[in-house]
Amino acid sequence: MTALPLARLDPVPAALAPTEPVALLQLSSETADAASAVYREVRRGRRVVAVVAGGVEAVSGLARALDAIGVATVTPAAGEALLHDGVTLAPGPDAAPPAQVTAPLTRLRVALAGCGVVGGGLLPRLLADPRFEVVGVLVRDPTKRRDVAVPEALLLSDPAALLAREPDVLVEAISEASTGLALIRAALGRGVHVVSANKQAVGGDLPALTALADSGGARLLYSASVGGGAPLIETVRRARAHAPVVRIEAVLNGTCNFILNRLAHGVAFDAALTAAREAGFAEADPSADLTGLDAAAKLAILAHEAGDWRLAPAGVAREALSATTALPTGRVRQTARLDLAARSASVTFEAMDADPLFAGLADEGNAVRVTTADGRIFTATGRGAGRTPTAESVWADLTDLLAAR
């Protein structure tokens, strides 16, 4: 699918008086790329009105695709106004005129590190899109069977060999922190752009990585490292552009949220953890999630975005979740907090029954509330884990990088 010509209304006429800019999209009915076009506007903080060719059936298909990413939609009844908060979908003509798709003169050469949950979700899209040329796929074991087809000529197990294929961009989707960080540093040092979903690698020392990217003329993009498909980093950036950020409250770990929801319904801890693994949210070794280190790394990234705060994840006060953890009564969340004035950071378990932003988060849901010095509050929610939402966030970074070229 290719999005048809995009019309933006930014700012909209005063009579409409929305709190955010509005994007008007005219989309063909091929669902995957239509969902990507909507998602990119959502993460920019826009309200979206999308008119979808193909009628009601096409609208329903797009709504399902957006729900898989974590984007909620509204479909107005006939005669109802189209402008709503969030994303509005409306049926357009039964058929759209064929889009004029021209392959770029120079494709973006992509090296993919990791072919698991995230990398495996990206690879088929990269191989099918004429704007990209995949030059290599780094895996630990090239002989291992995978749930996606990887051309044999692309498989590599040596990071140096991957970079030797001279990519324009490294997509780093390795779950292990030290290997991912070494590869990111090596790529940026060679002037190769990096798109990463690795919060442990990025959050370990983001200011140093940013400086390395700047010195080599490369870009470092990492939206998927916090919140999966939820635009949490973009929300902090919008808040900071408005006024100094004074406080951040967030639920940042989908695995813990999944487990806590099960515990609230009387499920035993071990059974809840097993269910999180089976759902694809918990790693084989879930210690980073359960000890709060995962949330602390994400909090370090948000601290950098909020105020250039060099926060060390290991220095964040944390509580661990286990079968013996004494939890508060009520709807409990693993809550990450930053107070920029006091320079304090914590990851703790709190009862959030009275807080509608956090109390109702389903399973892998993530959310953030950012408060600025003038009292304005910015919020965002979405799916914080899983192949589809996280891969979509990486894809949005890649297409932003392509547009910037």
Side-chain angles (χ1 to χ4, degrees):
M1 173 274 166
T2 301
L4 297 178
L6 176 78
R8 285 194 181 92
L9 193 58
D10 183 10
V12 298
L16 294 177
T19 55
E20 298 89 20
V22 175
L24 301 178
L25 305 181
Q26 183 185 8
L27 301 171
S28 69
S29 57
E30 296 175 39
T31 305
D33 284 351
S36 294
V38 172
Y39 175 77
R40 289 183 69 201
E41 297 299 332
V42 168
R43 78 177 202 162
R44 292 184 178 114
R46 299 176 184 273
R47 301 161 80 186
V48 178
V49 176
V51 179
V52 188
V56 174
E57 189 173 316
V59 169
S60 297
L62 179 54
R64 289 191 296 271
L66 288 168
D67 179 68
I69 299 170
V71 177
T73 60
V74 174
T75 305
E80 185 181 339
L82 290 181
L83 192 61
H84 292 261
D85 289 336
V87 176
T88 303
L89 304 181
D94 289 339
Q100 298 295 321
V101 180
T102 303
L105 295 177
T106 304
R107 295 192 290 175
L108 195 67
R109 292 170 57 84
V110 179
L112 177 61
C115 196
V117 173
V118 179
L122 282 167
L123 183 59
R125 295 180 74 174
L126 288 168
L127 292 173
D129 194 313
R131 300 172 298 174
F132 302 103
E133 177 186 0
V134 180
V135 299
V137 179
L138 182 70
V139 294
R140 184 178 295 133
D141 179 7
T143 65
K144 177 182 175 181
R145 293 189 64 181
R146 293 176 171 80
D147 62 354
V148 295
V150 186
E152 187 174 350
L154 295 179
L155 286 169
L156 296 164
S157 58
D158 179 6
L162 181 71
L163 294 181
R165 295 194 175 184
E166 300 184 347
D168 298 312
V169 58
L170 167 72
V171 175
E172 191 274 313
I174 299 173
S175 59
E176 202 274 321
S178 59
T179 302
L181 180 57
L183 189 55
I184 290 171
R185 285 174 172 160
L188 294 176
R190 297 168 64 125
V192 175
H193 305 300
V194 173
V195 175
S196 178
N198 191 334
K199 62 273 183 179
Q200 298 290 347
V202 173
D205 195 353
L206 181 52
L209 292 178
T210 301
L212 181 60
D214 291 343
S215 67
R219 294 188 64 190
L220 172 62
L221 305 174
Y222 44 88
S223 288
S225 66
V226 181
L232 305 192
I233 289 175
E234 289 80 6
T235 301
V236 174
R237 288 173 180 167
R238 286 198 301 276
R240 185 179 180 181
H242 169 76
V245 174
V246 297
R247 185 168 56 257
I248 294 176
E249 306 153 273
V251 170
L252 299 175
N253 186 271
T255 299
C256 276
N257 203 62
F258 184 98
I259 292 173
L260 289 168
N261 278 346
R262 296 301 183 277
L263 295 180
H265 287 90
V267 177
F269 176 84
D270 289 343
L273 176 56
T274 298
R277 285 198 180 102
E278 291 173 348
F281 302 137
E283 301 284 349
D285 177 7
S287 56
D289 297 319
L290 300 180
T291 62
L293 186 59
D294 175 89
K298 295 171 180 176
L299 205 57
I301 295 170
L302 296 184
H304 173 78
E305 295 293 343
D308 296 322
W309 180 4
R310 204 184 196 107
L311 176 64
V316 175
R318 294 177 277 127
E319 293 180 352
L321 180 62
S322 71
T324 60
T325 301
L327 295 172
T329 57
R331 180 65 70 179
V332 179
R333 297 290 173 240
Q334 184 198 57
T335 309
R337 294 184 181 274
L338 279 176
D339 184 323
L340 277 81
R343 281 296 198 259
S344 66
S346 64
V347 177
T348 59
F349 295 101
E350 301 178 46
M352 305 295 280
D353 301 73
D355 192 325
L357 179 65
F358 299 128
L361 286 176
D363 292 344
E364 75 276 26
N366 280 192
V368 69
R369 177 187 293 119
V370 187
T371 305
T372 58
D374 63 354
R376 183 168 176 183
I377 294 174
F378 294 75
T379 64
T381 61
R383 299 189 190 278
R387 168 172 281 183
T388 299
T390 308
E392 190 62 49
S393 185
V394 175
W395 185 261
D397 274 351
L398 269 174
T399 49
D400 283 351
L401 182 62
L402 191 66
R405 297 183 80 202

